[in-house]
Every structure is written in structure tokens, then in C-alpha cells.
């Protein structure tokens, strides 16, 4: 069997071979020539035995600096007789660059240069200055020396790296974590001993293999985005559950990109994987142990945050009160000092509620009984808010009340919602009452007239044509009214379900308004028109004729209702890219407080004692106008009449 010394000797030989192999794998020594004359350049290249070196050349200062920054040159030779080249500039800028400050530079063709120029070059670190014609052997000797020095530095670096790598391997093999190096082709280039324990296979079966072959396709595809992110230069950190041959583990994984400091390119990724299964289990145990203790507090805090709730406590031995910070927020007294909060809060309570709120609280505290009371407060801004305060006695082990604790809720949103519900219920009840009345109104005369005809028919009396005509005309009017009411209800249903559609076409809105005025405003008994129309001859726009006609007719008939027998002024104008329509009457007018709600559902301008209707016309009109991209509004003054207007864009 192989003894320890033989094993050590074999490993040393292997390491030596690796160093030699690494040296053999090195690129040829590189030289940069900064030269312009092609003939001289060819001669110079030939004299330097190009088979032994990688020789690059340029005649540009900038390109020379860029090349020397990207590539590690053993020597840079600058021909000072190249007109476009400033040798001192190249030398100075190379010495300022961390990557090139140690690169040897040789000047050739210094003929005619002043001594101070040569002195300056040596101060900047030039390796040598040579005159032309160049002594080839001398130049070869200098280049050879510099090349040997370069190789020696490189070989020493590799040997140091090899020793460092061996030390790193020994250290990583002792770690309980997976440590590996993955190249850009997603292959393992280094893995530590832990891989054997986790994967239950020799290192040789992992090292050099593709991640997909070691981890499996599913896990590899899951990890691929993280690997690609690391290869793009990002440090990636994540936790996941992994199935290894040795068992299931929860692991903490870190991908650290290996970035070449010179080229800034990512060469590969260092992978660190720690088994945190026991830590996770311990955390879960600790978490479960804390949950019961924290559950009540968490629920309370969640309720405080979500329910706009604050807490308060009164020590019954001293009658001193403590409050949570939320109390100040709910009462809008954040800037008040704690010792002044109680008196300030008392002043914030609504004057009409203050006495009762204080009486109920004092009674509950003195009797140690449960407490619940709603009252209003007024913020410094003048806004009225609603508060719900609740509390109960806190008793010790003997059953003695030692404190009185409670909570405060801001219930403004709930109260306002309740008010809206109440208003909606009132509106609904009023609407049902109005609707039942309005729907019955046209039916009643029809029924009476038909009953009258029926009685005449039973008496077998002749029924005159005039009588039949009157009944038919009256019934037709009532049926038309009934149909209009039903149409309004159907329009509201369409609006509520989003099914109000428009069929817009280009047409003349002035013509539409003129026809509606003639049809609905008509003439007075004396034969004179009872309206004034101010409009240009024609305005062509794109709109739904039936729907806009519906709005116009609604406004015209409202004017007739509220200003019977009085003239109505109608106006159609255009400005910029919009059309405006207005109807003005000289009737009873609308109170200012009602102007903001007349376009709501089931709102009627005046009570049913004046006029009938469901209170839907203006609401439907607003929906139609807004669907066209327009606006609708009203202006009014009690006793002087009202003006209803809408505007539309030319195209929609």
C-alpha cells in the first residue's frame, strides 16, 4: 500500500505538473510597438524574432493607451521619430494608470532630443532610450531580459496561486457547507469534500460535470435564472428546499460572481451552500412558542390599526389616565402635550353631546360597569366626526377592580354610510310612492273612459263618433305618458348595468333643436310662438340623434312645466371645438341648495304638488351628455327662472 511519504511525493509531483502545465498554457510574451513607418516597422518586427513573441503595433497615442490597458504587455517600444507620437505623453499616462504603471517602456530614435527631454523620460520611469540606427543585438538583449522578467513574475504568480489553491482546498474541505466554482459554461471546476457527503458520490463524478447532470434537469432549470444573474455580475442570495442523495435539506445559497479586475469580465461563479435545516426547525419552534403569547397582542394591534381604534386606561387607585398615541390622532390633537390631552379632548366633544358623554363615562367608572357610548366630536378644521367609546373594569386575582380600560373607535365612516343608507331608503320610499302614483295616473282616466263606453254599450245606445274620438285621443295621450315613464325606468336600468349605448353620426344639431321647439313648444292660442330660438343656420357635429333629442325635449318640457304661458329662450352656440345648448325659462326658479342634486336619481325640482314625474329626466340627461364627453349644468334664482345648459364636443 502507498505510505504517507509516497502519497505526499505523488501529490507534490502532481502539483508541480499542474504548475508546469499552467506555465505551458501561458500565451506568448506580448510586445507593443508604437511606430508609423511600415518599412521600419517590418524591419523592427523581424529583428525581434516574432516567433517568440506576440507583437502588436499602432501609430496612435490613444490606441496605444487603450491596447496597453486591455492587454498585459511585457514591453512597450515607442519610436520617437513618428511625427504623431508624443513619447512623454504615452509614458506619463501609462504611469498614471494602475494597470500599466509598471509596464517597461523603451524609447528608440531619441536622436536630436534635448538632454532635459531624456532626463524627463527617465524621471517618468522609461526603461531605456536608444538612438538610431538601432543596435539590433542590444535591443534583442533588452527585450529578452524584460521578457524573462515578465515570465518569472508570471510563473511566481502561478506557483503562489497553486499553493493558495491547495490551502483553499484544505480549508473548504473542512467546511460543512458546499463550496464550488462554476464556469461560464455551467460546469463545476472546483468542488469541496462536502459534495461527497451530500451527493454520496466521489468528487471526480462531480468536478468537470455540467450542473444539469449533477443536480437534475428540474432543479437546474429552477436555478438557471439565479446562475445567469450571477454570471451577469450580480451577487445572488436565496433559500430553498433541495433533495440530495443524503436527504432533504433546507439550504441557504449564495452565488458570488468572479470578476476579472482588469477586463471587468465575469469568469465564473463561486457557489456557497449552507444547510440551514436545523436553524429553520429551531426558528419554527421558537415561532410557535411565541405565537400563543403574541396572538392576543397582534389581534389587538391589528384591530387598532384597521379599525381606527385607540386604547385608554384609568388607574382606579390614583385615577390617573394613560392613552395610546392613536387617541391624539382620532381626536386630531396630535400637537397637544400629553398632560393637556384630557382637557383638550373634552373641549373637542360636540357641545350638544359633551355633558351626556361625560356623565355616562363617570357613572360606568364609579360603578365598575361595562361602558359603551357614541358621541360626536368637532376637529379643529371644523369637520364633524363620530366616536364610539367602550370600556370595562380590570380586576385582580381577588376580583377587585384595579383599573378601568377601554377602546375608542372612529366610526365616522360607518355613521356616514348609515346616513346614506337612510337617505337612500327615504329616496326609495318616496320614489315608490311617486312611481305608483305616476304610473296609476294615466291608467285611471283610461279605465274611467273605457268604463263609460262599456256602460253606453250595455244600454244599447248609439255611441257617437265624437265620443269615441275623445276617448281614443285621451287614452292615446295617457298611454304615451305611461310609455314615457316606462322608458325612463328602462333607461335607468341600462345606465346601472352599463348598457347605455350611443349610435353617433354627423348631423345638424340646430335642425334637431328647431324641430323639437316647434313640436313641443308650439304656438300660443293667438298663433304666436311662445319661444325664442337664437342659433346659427347650421352646426354639424357627431352625436346620437335620438339621445340628444331626448335631452333637449326633457329641458324644453321642464321649461314649459315650470313657466307655463311664459316665453322660453333657446340658444345654440359654438366655441372652439364645442357646442353649447341652453334653455331659459322665467318661472318659479330653483333654490340654491337644490341645484347640486337636481341631476341625481329620483330628484324632482319641485314637489308633486306642482308637477308630476319620476324625477329621472335630468339624471338620464346627465348620463347621456357625459357619455358624449360633454357637461350639463343649471343656473337659477328663485322667482326669476332657470337656465339649463349642456355642451358637447364636435366629435366623439
Amino acid at each position: 500500500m502507498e505510505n504517507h511519504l509516497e502519497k505526499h511525493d505523488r501529490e507534490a509531483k502532481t502539483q508541480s505538473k499542474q504548475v508546469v502545465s499552467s506555465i505551458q498554457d501561458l500565451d506568448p510574451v506580448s510586445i507593443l510597438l508604437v511606430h508609423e513607418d511600415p518599412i521600419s516597422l517590418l524591419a523592427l518586427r523581424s529583428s525581434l524574432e516574432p516567433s517568440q513573441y506576440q507583437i502588436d503595433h499602432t501609430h496612435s497615442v490613444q490606441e496605444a493607451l487603450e491596447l496597453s490597458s486591455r492587454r498585459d504587455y511585457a514591453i512597450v517600444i515607442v519610436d520617437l521619430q513618428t511625427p504623431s507620437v508624443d513619447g512623454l505623453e504615452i509614458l506619463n499616462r501609462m504611469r498614471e494608470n494602475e494597470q500599466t504603471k509598471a509596464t517597461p517602456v523603451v524609447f528608440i530614435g531619441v536622436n536630436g532630443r534635448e538632454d532635459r527631454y531624456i532626463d524627463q523620460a527617465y524621471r517618468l520611469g522609461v526603461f531605456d532610450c536608444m538612438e538610431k540606427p538601432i543596435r539590433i543585438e542590444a535591443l534583442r538583449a533588452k527585450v529578452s531580459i524584460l521578457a524573462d522578467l515578465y515570465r518569472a513574475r508570471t510563473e511566481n504568480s502561478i506557483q503562489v496561486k497553486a499553493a493558495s489553491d491547495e490551502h483553499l482546498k484544505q480549508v473548504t474541505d473542512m467546511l460543512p457547507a458546499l463550496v464550488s466554482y462554476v464556469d461560464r459554461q455551467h460546469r463545476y471546476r472546483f468542488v469541496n469534500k462536502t459534495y461527497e457527503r451530500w451527493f454520496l458520490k466521489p468528487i471526480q463524478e462531480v468536478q468537470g460535470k455540467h450542473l444539469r447532470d449533477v443536480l437534475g434537469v428540474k432543479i437546474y432549470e429552477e436555478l438557471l435564472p439565479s446562475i445567469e444573474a450571477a454570471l451577469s455580475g450580480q451577487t445572488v442570495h436565496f433559500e430553498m428546499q433541495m433533495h440530495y442523495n443524503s436527504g432533504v435539506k433546507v439550504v441557504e445559497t449564495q452565488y458570488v460572481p468572479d470578476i476579472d479586475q482588469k477586463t471587468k469580465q465575469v469568469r465564473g461563479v463561486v457557489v456557497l451552500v449552507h444547510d440551514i435545516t436545523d436553524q429553520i426547525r429551531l426558528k419554527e419552534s421558537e415561532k410557535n412558542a411565541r405565537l400563543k403569547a403574541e396572538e392576543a397582542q397582534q389581534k389587538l394591534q391589528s384591530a387598532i390599526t384597521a379599525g381606527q381604534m385607540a386604547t385608554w386606561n384609568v388607574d382606579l387607585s390614583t385615577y390617573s389616565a394613560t392613552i395610546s398615541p392613536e387617541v391624539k390622532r382620532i381626536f386630531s390633537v396630535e400637537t397637544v402635550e400629553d398632560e393637556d390631552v384630557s382637557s383638550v379632548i373634552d373641549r373637542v366633544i360636540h357641545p350638544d353631546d359633551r355633558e351626556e358623554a361625560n356623565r355616562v363615562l363617570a357613572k360606568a367608572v364609579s360603578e365598575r360597569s361595562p361602558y359603551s357610548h357614541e358621541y360626536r366630536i368637532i376637529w379643529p378644521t371644523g369637520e364633524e366626526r363620530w366616536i364610539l367609546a367602550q370600556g370595562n373594569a380590570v380586576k385582580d386575582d381577588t376580583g377587585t377592580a384595579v383599573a378601568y380600560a377601554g377602546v375608542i373607535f372612529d366610526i365616522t365612516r360607518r355613521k356616514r354610510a348609515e346616513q346614506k343608507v337612510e337617505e337612500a331608503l327615504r329616496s326609495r320610499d318616496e320614489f315608490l310612492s311617486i312611481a305608483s302614483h305616476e304610473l296609476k295616473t294615466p291608467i285611471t282616466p283610461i279605465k274611467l273612459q273605457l268604463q263609460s263606453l262599456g256602460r253606453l254599450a250595455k244600454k244599447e245606445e248609439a255611441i257617437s263618433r265624437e265620443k269615441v274620438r275623445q276617448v281614443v285621443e285621451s287614452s292615446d295621450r295617457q298611454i304615451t305618458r305611461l310609455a314615457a315613464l316606462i322608458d325612463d325606468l328602462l333607461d335607468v336600468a341600462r345606465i346601472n348595468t352599463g348598457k347605455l349605448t350611443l349610435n353617433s353620426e354627423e348631423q345638424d344639431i340646430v335642425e334637431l333643436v328647431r324641430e323639437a321647439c316647434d313640436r313641443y313648444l308650439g304656438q300660443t292660442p293667438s298663433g304666436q310662438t311662445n319661444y325664442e330660438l337664437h342659433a346659427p343656420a347650421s352646426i354639424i357635429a357627431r352625436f346620437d340623434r335620438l339621445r340628444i333629442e331626448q335631452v333637449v325635449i326633457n329641458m324644453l318640457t321642464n321649461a314649459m312645466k315650470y313657466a307655463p304661458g311664459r316665453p322660453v329662450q333657446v340658444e345654440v352656440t359654438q366655441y372652439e371645438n364645442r357646442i353649447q345648448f341652453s334653455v331659459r325659462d322665467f318661472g318659479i326658479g330653483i333654490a340654491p341648495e337644490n341645484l347640486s342634486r337636481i341631476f341625481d336619481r329620483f330628484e324632482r325640482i319641485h314637489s308633486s304638488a306642482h308637477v308630476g314625474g319620476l324625477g329621472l329626466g335630468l339624471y338620464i340627461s346627465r348620463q347621456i351628455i357625459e357619455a358624449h364627453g360633454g357637461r350639463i349644468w343649471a343656473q337659477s334664482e328663485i322667482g326669476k327662472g332657470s337656465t339649463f345648459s349642456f355642451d358637447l364636443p364636435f366629435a366623439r
Side-chain angles (χ1 to χ4, degrees), residues 250-455:
V250 179
V251 295
E252 179 184 50
T253 303
Q254 188 172 16
Y255 292 161
V256 181
D258 174 26
I259 301 175
D260 188 307
Q261 295 304 312
K262 186 171 184 179
T263 65
K264 305 303 181 185
Q265 298 296 313
V266 178
R267 295 177 294 206
V269 177
V270 177
V271 180
L272 304 173
V273 183
H274 296 272
D275 181 0
I276 58 171
T277 307
D278 292 340
Q279 297 176 35
I280 295 295
R281 289 172 180 166
L282 180 60
K283 288 180 180 178
E284 286 296 325
S285 298
E286 293 174 350
K287 180 180 177 181
N288 291 333
R290 289 195 308 267
L291 278 178
K292 290 184 179 180
E294 296 176 353
E295 188 173 4
Q297 181 64 30
Q298 289 175 347
K299 287 182 178 180
L300 176 61
Q301 190 59 45
S302 297
I304 289 173
T305 304
Q308 293 188 315
M309 182 176 70
T311 59
W312 54 273
N313 185 79
V314 176
D315 186 333
L316 295 178
S317 62
T318 62
Y319 278 88
S320 59
T322 57
I323 61 173
S324 67
E326 287 81 6
V327 171
K328 288 186 175 183
R329 177 183 56 78
I330 288 177
F331 285 87
S332 191
V333 291
E334 291 94 334
T335 59
V336 177
E337 297 296 332
D338 288 349
E339 58 268 20
D340 301 325
V341 167
S342 297
S343 60
V344 172
I345 286 178
D346 189 61
R347 293 197 298 271
V348 172
I349 299 175
H350 195 288
D352 296 343
D353 299 349
R354 186 179 300 136
E355 182 179 349
E356 179 67 8
N358 289 331
R359 185 192 67 79
V360 172
L361 176 60
K363 182 176 183 294
V365 173
S366 64
E367 296 178 355
R368 282 39 171 180
S369 59
Y371 159 72
S372 181
H373 187 63
E374 294 180 1
Y375 55 90
R376 293 168 294 171
I377 63 173
I378 300 176
W379 276 2
T381 58
E383 181 182 353
E384 185 177 286
R385 312 281 295 182
W386 276 92
I387 298 299
L388 169 61
Q390 295 179 325
N392 206 347
V394 179
K395 300 178 181 180
D396 61 15
D397 295 339
T398 65
T400 304
V402 295
Y404 202 92
V407 292
I408 297 172
F409 299 91
D410 183 338
I411 59 171
T412 306
R413 186 177 300 175
R414 191 196 82 192
K415 279 292 187 180
R416 288 174 180 171
E418 289 174 355
Q419 290 171 356
K420 287 183 179 179
V421 169
E422 291 173 1
E423 291 171 3
L425 290 173
R426 283 196 300 269
S427 296
R428 183 201 65 183
D429 293 341
E430 183 181 357
F431 165 70
L432 291 175
S433 175
I434 294 169
S436 62
H437 171 74
E438 293 295 332
L439 291 172
K440 284 180 180 179
T441 299
I443 294 174
T444 302
I446 295 173
K447 184 177 180 180
L448 291 173
Q449 289 168 0
L450 290 175
Q451 287 174 348
S452 175
L453 284 177
R455 285 194 298 269

Side-chain angles (χ1 to χ4, degrees), residues 56 107 171 188 251 267 320 327 376 436 472 476 560 621 639:
D56 298 333
F107 284 171
V171 171
Y188 287 109
V251 295
R267 295 177 294 206
S320 59
V327 171
R376 293 168 294 171
S436 62
V472 170
D476 184 61
M560 294 287 289
S621 296

Side-chain angles (χ1 to χ4, degrees), residues 602-613:
F602 313 133
E603 293 290 347
R604 298 193 299 171
I605 299 174
H606 297 284
S607 67
S608 57
H610 292 85
V611 292

